[in-house]
C-alpha cells in the first residue's frame, strides 16, 4: 500500500505517487478483460496479474462466497447484455438488477461496481464512469478522510459523488482513477 494518506499529505504528492506506482498497472488490468477467454467468469471473479499473466481471483472478491460467484456467473451468462448502454450508471443499474433479480445480492456494492467496470471495458466504445466516482468500502473511507482537509466538501450520496465535487487535480485523473486513489490512500 501507499505511505501517503488522504487528508494528511498534499494531493499533488498523492497524485504523483499514484501516477508513478499504480496508474499504468490499473489501466493494464482493465485492458486484460477484453481478451479473457471466459468473459462472465472474469467479470465476476476479477483478474489479478501474476508472473505468468492474468489469473482469476481479484482481492476485491476474496470475501464473496464461492456459491455467490457461481450464481452471478450463471445470472450474467443467462441474459443477453443489452447494448448500447446510455452511460456507466445505466450499466451499473443493469448489473445490479441482474444480480438482485437472480437472488445473488440484495444491495448495490463494490462488487457491482467492479463487475460493471469490467464489462464496460469490453464494450466498443468503452463504457466507463464519467459523471460519478463510486465510493464503496476503502474508497468511501478515503473520500471521508479527504473531506476532513477540504473547505469545499465532496458530497457523497448513495455511495457515489459527482466528479465535479472533487478537487480539480483529482478531476483530471477521471472517475476510475479517483476511485483507486481514494481506496489506496484512504488508510
Amino acid at each position: 500500500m501507499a505511505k501517503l494518506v488522504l487528508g494528511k499529505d498534499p494531493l499533488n504528492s498523492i497524485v504523483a505517487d499514484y501516477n508513478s506506482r499504480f496508474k499504468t498497472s490499473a489501466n493494464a488490468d482493465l485492458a486484460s478483460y477484453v481478451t479473457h477467454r471466459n468473459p462472465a467468469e472474469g467479470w465476476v471473479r476479477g483478474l489479478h496479474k501474476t508472473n505468468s499473466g492474468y489469473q482469476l481471483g481479484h482481492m476485491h472478491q476474496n470475501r464473496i462466497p464461492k456459491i455467490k460467484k457461481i450464481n452471478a456467473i450463471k445470472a450474467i451468462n443467462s441474459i443477453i447484455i443489452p447494448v448500447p448502454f446510455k452511460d456507466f450508471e445505466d450499466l451499473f443499474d443493469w448489473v445490479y438488477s441482474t444480480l438482485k433479480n437472480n437472488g445473488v445480492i440484495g444491495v448495490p456494492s463494490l462488487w457491482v461496481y467492479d463487475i460493471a467496470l469490467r464489462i464496460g471495458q469490453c464494450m466498443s466504445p468503452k463504457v466507463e464512469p464519467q459523471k460519478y466516482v463510486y465510493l464503496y468500502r476503502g474508497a468511501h473511507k478515503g473520500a471521508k478522510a479527504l473531506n476532513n482537509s477540504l473547505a469545499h466538501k465532496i458530497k457523497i450520496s448513495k455511495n457515489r459523488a459527482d466528479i465535479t465535487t472533487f478537487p480539480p487535480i483529482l478531476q483530471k485523473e477521471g472517475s476510475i482513477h479517483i476511485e483507486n486513489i481514494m481506496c489506496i490512500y484512504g488508510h
Side-chain angles (χ1 to χ4, degrees):
M1 266 302 152
K3 292 181 181 178
L4 299 171
V5 178
L6 285 162
K8 293 181 182 175
D9 294 301
L11 270 179
N12 60 340
S13 297
I14 289 173
V15 170
D17 188 66
Y18 175 78
N19 285 331
S20 69
R21 294 180 56 206
F22 300 105
K23 190 173 190 175
T24 300
S25 63
N27 287 335
D29 288 350
L30 289 174
S32 70
Y33 290 94
V34 175
T35 58
H36 186 65
R37 68 188 181 290
N38 183 339
E41 187 175 26
W43 298 333
V44 168
R45 293 183 56 199
L47 299 174
H48 73 279
K49 191 170 185 162
T50 66
N51 290 335
S52 59
Y54 285 93
Q55 305 219 349
L56 286 168
H58 190 278
M59 66 181 193
H60 280 178
Q61 278 68 61
N62 283 348
R63 295 181 184 167
I64 299 169
K66 186 176 181 179
I67 191 68
K68 282 192 172 203
K69 293 175 191 173
I70 291 167
N71 290 338
I73 293 165
K74 286 179 185 175
I76 290 172
N77 275 333
S78 71
I79 298 171
I80 296 172
I81 297 175
V83 210
F85 288 97
K86 178 179 67 178
D87 52 25
F88 186 80
E89 289 69 42
D90 194 28
L91 172 57
F92 181 94
D93 290 344
W94 179 84
V95 170
Y96 171 58
S97 59
T98 297
L99 297 180
K100 184 178 181 194
N101 293 341
N102 284 278
V104 177
I105 63 170
V107 296
S109 63
L110 175 60
W111 192 27
V112 173
Y113 170 77
D114 285 342
I115 293 170
L117 189 61
R118 296 166 185 159
I119 291 172
Q121 295 304 299
C122 299
M123 299 184 157
S124 183
K126 289 180 185 178
V127 177
E128 297 179 326
Q130 302 289 324
K131 184 176 180 184
Y132 298 104
V133 177
Y134 288 75
L135 301 168
Y136 291 97
R137 304 186 60 83
H140 191 267
K141 184 178 175 182
K144 286 173 66 176
L146 180 59
N147 259 348
N148 291 335
S149 68
L150 298 176
H152 174 78
K153 304 295 183 194
I154 300 164
K155 295 177 182 116
I156 303 168
S157 176
K158 298 181 183 178
N159 290 91
R160 66 184 190 185
D162 193 301
I163 192 172
T164 62
T165 67
F166 285 85
I169 190 170
L170 290 173
Q171 290 180 40
K172 291 177 188 173
E173 297 301 316
S175 294
I176 293 171
H177 294 294
I178 295 172
E179 190 271 346
N180 286 340
I181 290 168
M182 295 299 108
C183 188
I184 293 169
Y185 299 92
H187 313 297

